[in-house]
Amino acid sequence: SKTFAASVDAVEKHPGATIVVVKPAAADAPRFKGGQFAFLRAKGAEKHPFSVTQQLPDGRIIFSIKSFSGWTKSGAPNLKAGDPVEVEGPWGAFCPDFNAREQVWVAAGIGIAPFCAWMATAAERRRAQGGQASDEPRIQLNWCIKSRDAEPLLERAVSLAKAAGIELRIFESKGERLD
């Protein structure tokens, strides 16, 4: 079974989104690859699929949950550190081809979550190669957001892009159409 016990480690509440960090109960819990997702189930709730924003070296898993309706709007923001959760995964293979020399990635809003996981993988690869960028692919990530002030993953995305050597271009709509 791909289901394992975990507990909420931290919760960041933002307008329109909740960032939830969970800590697997067992040290041998599965590792996630950038671009994979998992089902998350809180006590008394049905399971919901979410992209893994990042898995930290200590095994903690970060989920970025957009507040749409139902549990994502009323349940996720009410999670507290120590709450038990169940994680089912990893699932999926939305993964980049790091062998392609030039790449353009496009994300919008909370849809940056799997790209954060990709950038974390790219940063790990870069560190393992001693920070050498000569054989790394050239990657440009174009990210459309409403506002820098209201974007909960802005600092994480900027930091990961820098560590990975990825050119991050941010387009703010400020509520207007981007034509």
Side-chain angles (χ1 to χ4, degrees):
S1 169
K2 289 187 165 197
T3 302
F4 56 94
S7 61
V8 174
D9 188 61
V11 178
E12 295 176 25
K13 298 174 189 178
H14 301 272
T18 304
I19 311 301
V20 178
V21 181
V22 302
K23 182 177 182 180
D28 63 347
R31 295 293 302 175
F32 288 79
K33 293 179 184 169
Q36 291 188 308
F37 71 95
F39 289 92
L40 183 64
R41 181 194 324 254
K43 188 175 181 179
E46 63 186 53
K47 64 183 179 181
H48 293 270
F50 299 107
S51 293
V52 172
T53 303
Q54 186 177 0
Q55 186 167 27
L56 301 172
D58 65 6
R60 289 179 298 153
I61 305 162
I62 302 172
F63 295 98
S64 302
I65 302 171
K66 182 155 177 85
S67 301
F68 281 119
S69 64
W71 187 82
T72 62
K73 191 172 186 175
S74 61
N78 292 318
L79 288 172
K80 305 226 179 331
D83 284 353
V85 293
E86 191 174 88
V87 179
E88 179 188 317
W91 297 105
F94 180 53
C95 303
D97 177 4
F98 286 113
N99 294 317
R101 297 308 310 152
E102 292 191 17
Q103 302 178 39
V104 176
W105 299 348
V106 180
I110 203 83
I112 193 76
F115 294 93
C116 285
W118 288 5
M119 290 189 289
T121 299
E124 288 170 21
R125 291 169 51 105
R126 187 176 220 203
R127 274 192 297 277
Q129 296 169 354
Q132 301 300 317
S134 59
D135 62 343
E136 292 177 352
R138 183 177 174 276
I139 301 171
Q140 179 187 80
L141 171 55
N142 298 294
W143 184 23
C144 301
I145 60 174
K146 284 184 184 175
S147 165
R148 288 175 184 264
D149 296 336
E151 181 48 57
L153 294 175
L154 181 66
E155 286 182 32
R156 181 178 309 279
V158 168
S159 174
L160 287 168
K162 183 177 180 181
I166 292 173
E167 178 187 353
L168 176 60
R169 298 181 66 204
I170 299 172
F171 300 88
E172 281 184 277
S173 70
K174 298 189 179 172
E176 302 293 324
R177 284 183 49 92
L178 293 175
D179 292 323

